[in-house]
Amino acid sequence: MNGPLKLLFGTALIVTPVACSDSNGKSTADFCTVAKSLVTSQEGLDVMFEVTEVPNAADVEAAFGTLIGLVNQLADAAPSDIADDMVVVVRGFTALDSAMKSAGYDLEVLFTDPAIAAAAAADMAVFSTPETEAAMDTVDQYSLAECGFSLDTSGSGLGS
């Protein structure tokens, strides 16, 4: 798989965050705690997509539900200096979820039904916009600098 789903593959080094708060009371530690959970969720999806059998649609749906929930929690915990970027990131992941939903979270349908594939590609196009790529890179760099780990489990840049 490539494109936006590629960000769901790989591994990340996780370390303990340092506690600091911004002017809105958002702590780096809270952000890093949610970010660590997000990375763990992505790693679970990595494993799911690396198996030779196509994952069960119900399992994919549950995994994406967890992923989207964590992305929203990360946006809620985001310090003010990356809050605007997190709005863009949420929009990207919501589009990814919409693409998966259009296929009923069934990967066989996603990759074999031309109409579903085209609709999913249109939804996922948001990941290729300069705004989304920049926002994802900013959030990933913040996580790397403040939490000590990348949110990108693919190892190729969160927005790549």
Side-chain angles (χ1 to χ4, degrees):
M1 290 177 215
N2 57 24
L5 291 179
K6 184 177 181 181
L7 69 98
L8 300 174
F9 293 85
T11 61
L13 173 66
I14 300 174
V15 298
T16 304
V18 176
C20 296
S21 294
D22 72 358
S23 61
N24 293 327
K26 306 277 179 132
S27 80
T28 302
D30 289 344
F31 177 87
C32 293
T33 297
V34 176
K36 188 181 297 185
S37 294
L38 178 61
V39 168
T40 300
S41 177
Q42 286 179 175
E43 288 171 342
L45 280 167
D46 295 348
V47 171
M48 182 182 294
F49 290 129
E50 288 173 354
V51 298
T52 56
E53 293 181 22
V54 175
N56 176 298
D59 293 340
V60 173
E61 182 176 7
F64 268 85
T66 298
L67 180 71
I68 299 305
L70 287 167
V71 169
N72 284 312
Q73 286 178 30
L74 193 64
D76 290 342
S80 57
D81 52 339
I82 62 165
D84 291 342
D85 293 299
M86 279 305 307
V87 169
V88 176
V89 170
V90 167
R91 185 172 45 228
F93 276 91
T94 300
L96 175 61
D97 187 52
S98 178
M100 295 302 296
K101 189 179 296 182
S102 70
Y105 297 93
D106 185 329
L107 297 180
E108 283 189 37
V109 170
L110 182 65
F111 295 114
T112 61
D113 183 314
I116 297 290
D123 284 339
M124 291 187 293
V126 71
F127 270 106
S128 299
T129 66
E131 178 188 27
T132 301
E133 289 178 357
M136 293 178 89
D137 287 343
T138 298
V139 172
D140 191 49
Q141 289 302 313
Y142 179 87
S143 179
L144 191 58
E146 299 299 325
C147 306
F149 59 89
S150 176
L151 292 173
D152 175 16
T153 63
S154 72
S156 64
L158 187 60
S160 299

